[in-house]
């Protein structure tokens, strides 16, 4: 199996590195100083589960140099997914599998807008990681896991082929029985802590500890739940309660990547998180006042970051 990683940040770098380090064929599509560092010295991964250096089969910024892929992992930011789907056209075979792993609720739909449905699975990952320096990935929280599955809930041999790749790489992975439920559950967590975290400049632990901000976290999650249910996702009735409990168990000083992007003046996934809920709520006739407030307060910063990027 030849795995191609599009986007070699905290997610793509870690999982691509793990697959390559297990002796499997991996090509990384990266850019800039990060690309140059990996080409010269390999991909260095610092991890709470053990450090390693991976030497992928190929590292390039030119997709036309990459051999045909059996599996493509899209690990860009959520607003780049459709563009990434168009980018990978030269490496697709009839049976190539494409899985988006970034945060967001509609990444599979973005891929379906540019790729044939036969290629696309739904997916998500769970971990805290980032680029620490060019060529260096830092995994600093949560035991890494990929959850993936067919959009129509079917179980097929191709899912088990993907699982074989992930099992050999040595990280947790699960074939989902309902990938939309899993995607929206992860989305509820990340969108809830990201926007409010950026607005308050507080860690996840600080937000949960404070009764006032904890209430806002619950309101944010409840609105996401109502939108998800209205879109036909079979979310369990106690999901908001479970997400709040999950938030309470996060490392006290942890922050989400979107929060860090906003605080550091970089373009973020704000539009794909709280902004997405506001827009979907409008379409569906569901009030989302908490998400709207958070999104409205942060949107000027986001617009400025995009002008300067």
């Amino acid at each position: 199996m030849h795995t191609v990683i599009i986007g070699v940040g905290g997610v793509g770098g870690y999982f691509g590195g793990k697959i390559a380090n297990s002796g499997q064929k991996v090509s990384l599509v990266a850019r800039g100083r990060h690309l140059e560092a990996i080409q010269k010295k390999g991909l260095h991964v610092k991890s709470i589960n053990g450090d390693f250096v991976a030497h992928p089969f190929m590292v390039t910024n030119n997709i036309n140099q990459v051999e045909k892929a059996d599996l493509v992992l899209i690990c860009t930011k959520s607003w780049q997914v459709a563009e990434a789907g168009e980018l990978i056209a030269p490496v697709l075979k009839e049976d190539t599998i494409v899985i988006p792993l970034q945060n967001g609720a509609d990444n599979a739909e973005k891929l379906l807008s540019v790729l044939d449905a036969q290629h696309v699975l739904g997916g998500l990952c769970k971990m805290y990681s980032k680029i620490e320096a060019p060529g260096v990935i830092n995994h600093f929280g949560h035991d890494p896991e990929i959850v993936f599955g067919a959009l129509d809930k079917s179980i097929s041999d191709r899912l088990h082929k993907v699982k074989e790749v992930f099992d050999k790489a040595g990280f947790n992975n699960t074939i989902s029985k309902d990938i939309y439920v899993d995607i929206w559950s992860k989305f509820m967590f990340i969108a809830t802590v990201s926007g409010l975290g950026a607005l308050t400049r507080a860690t996840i632990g600080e937000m949960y500890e404070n009764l006032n901000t904890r209430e806002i976290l619950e309101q944010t999650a409840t609105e996401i739940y109502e939108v998800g249910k209205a879109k036909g996702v079979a979310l369990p009735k106690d999901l908001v309660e479970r997400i709040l409990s999950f938030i309470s168990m996060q490392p006290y000083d942890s922050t989400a990547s979107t929060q860090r992007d906003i605080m550091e003046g970089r373009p973020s996934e704000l539009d794909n998180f709280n902004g997405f809920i506001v827009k979907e709520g409008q379409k569906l006739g569901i009030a989302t006042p908490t998400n709207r407030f958070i999104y409205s307060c942060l949107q000027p910063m986001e617009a400025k970051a995009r002008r300067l990027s």
Side-chain angles (χ1 to χ4, degrees), residues 21-261:
N21 200 47
S22 67
Q24 301 182 76
K25 186 176 181 179
V26 174
S27 295
L28 306 180
V29 179
R31 60 186 180 184
R33 294 172 58 203
H34 197 45
L35 165 70
E36 295 170 2
I38 299 170
Q39 288 176 327
K40 291 178 180 178
K41 300 180 180 180
L43 178 63
H44 292 245
V45 178
K46 297 181 179 180
S47 172
I48 57 175
N49 293 341
D51 300 349
F52 62 91
V53 181
H55 297 278
F57 173 75
M58 172 176 280
V59 187
T60 181
N61 62 359
N62 185 354
I63 193 69
N64 292 307
Q65 295 178 346
V66 179
E67 294 182 14
K68 297 292 185 181
D70 299 294
L71 172 64
V72 179
L73 300 182
I74 304 290
C75 305
T76 62
K77 294 294 187 179
S78 54
W79 75 84
Q80 300 167 319
V81 171
E83 180 183 353
E86 294 174 336
L87 175 73
I88 63 175
V91 304
L92 295 182
K93 302 184 293 184
E94 184 177 351
D95 60 351
T96 300
I97 298 165
V98 183
I99 307 177
L101 291 182
Q102 56 284 107
N103 296 315
D106 62 340
N107 296 311
E109 286 70 23
K110 291 173 183 173
L111 284 180
L112 289 172
S113 72
V114 296
L115 297 178
D116 289 340
Q118 69 192 41
H119 294 299
V120 181
L121 298 180
L124 62 101
C125 69
K126 303 175 182 179
M127 67 182 302
Y128 290 106
S129 60
K130 63 182 180 180
I131 297 177
E132 181 176 287
V136 181
I137 302 298
N138 184 357
H139 160 228
F140 56 90
H142 205 292
D143 200 14
E145 179 182 8
I146 289 178
V147 180
F148 63 102
L151 301 178
D152 63 2
K153 304 181 187 180
S154 63
I155 302 296
S156 62
D157 288 343
R158 67 178 189 157
L159 293 175
H160 293 288
K161 289 180 180 179
V162 173
K163 186 166 179 45
E164 288 176 6
V165 172
F166 294 165
D167 284 345
K168 185 175 180 180
F171 53 78
N172 293 333
N173 66 95
T174 303
I175 297 175
S176 174
K177 295 180 181 178
D178 189 332
I179 192 61
Y180 279 115
V181 170
D182 289 321
I183 287 171
W184 273 81
S185 298
K186 165 68 184 299
F187 175 69
M188 183 184 290
F189 162 70
I190 199 67
T192 294
V193 298
S194 293
L196 189 60
L199 194 58
T200 62
R201 303 303 202 253
T203 68
I204 292 176
E206 289 168 340
M207 288 190 291
Y208 187 83
E209 182 179 63
N210 183 281
L211 293 179
N212 294 317
T213 47
R214 188 191 308 174
E215 182 179 1
I216 298 173
L217 290 171
E218 183 175 6
Q219 292 167 348
T220 306
T222 299
E223 292 174 8
I224 295 170
Y225 175 85
E226 295 298 335
V227 170
K229 288 288 288 184
K231 289 179 69 66
V233 183
L235 300 177
K237 293 181 179 179
D238 64 344
L239 183 57
V240 172
E241 179 182 340
R242 286 160 49 185
I243 292 299
L244 267 291
S245 176
F246 182 71
I247 290 172
S248 75
M249 294 184 290
Q250 298 309 296
Y252 187 88
D253 292 327
S254 59
T255 56
S257 60
T258 289
Q259 174 180 349
R260 297 193 297 272
D261 285 341

